Amino acid sequence: MDFGIAGVAGITVICYLIGQVVKAIGLNAKWIPVIVGLAGGALGIAGLYLMADFPATEPVTAIAVGIVSGLAATGVNQACKQLKEGQK
């Protein structure tokens, strides 16, 4: 059984990179979750129409899957940051 998990993970990775770009250009960090959430929603719609095994079958669910995947990128960033701080 395949749940299209690679597509969801792909959205998370792309959103993580978008978040890093936003951080690098100096935009206030409070906007990063909003930007990666919106980017994830857009990528969710793209995944719905471009990927045969995407885990959503209609646009609202695809947007929700994308937003959650995008926001997961923020969580990954925070987890990595806390692990690095814990090693010091």
Side-chain angles (χ1 to χ4, degrees), residues 7-86:
V8 174
I11 291 173
T12 303
V13 169
I14 293 168
C15 288
Y16 179 82
L17 291 174
I18 290 170
Q20 291 300 310
V21 168
V22 170
K23 184 177 174 182
I25 62 173
L27 192 61
N28 191 331
K30 72 179 182 180
W31 294 108
I32 293 174
V34 174
I35 292 168
V36 297
L38 290 172
L43 290 168
I45 287 292
L48 173 66
Y49 294 111
L50 299 175
M51 298 174 61
D53 63 343
F54 194 72
T57 57
E58 44 90 23
V60 172
T61 305
I63 291 170
V65 167
I67 290 171
V68 170
S69 299
L71 292 175
T74 304
V76 168
N77 183 334
Q78 290 302 308
C80 291
K81 185 185 291 185
Q82 289 177 9
L83 285 172
K84 288 179 185 176
E85 289 176 7

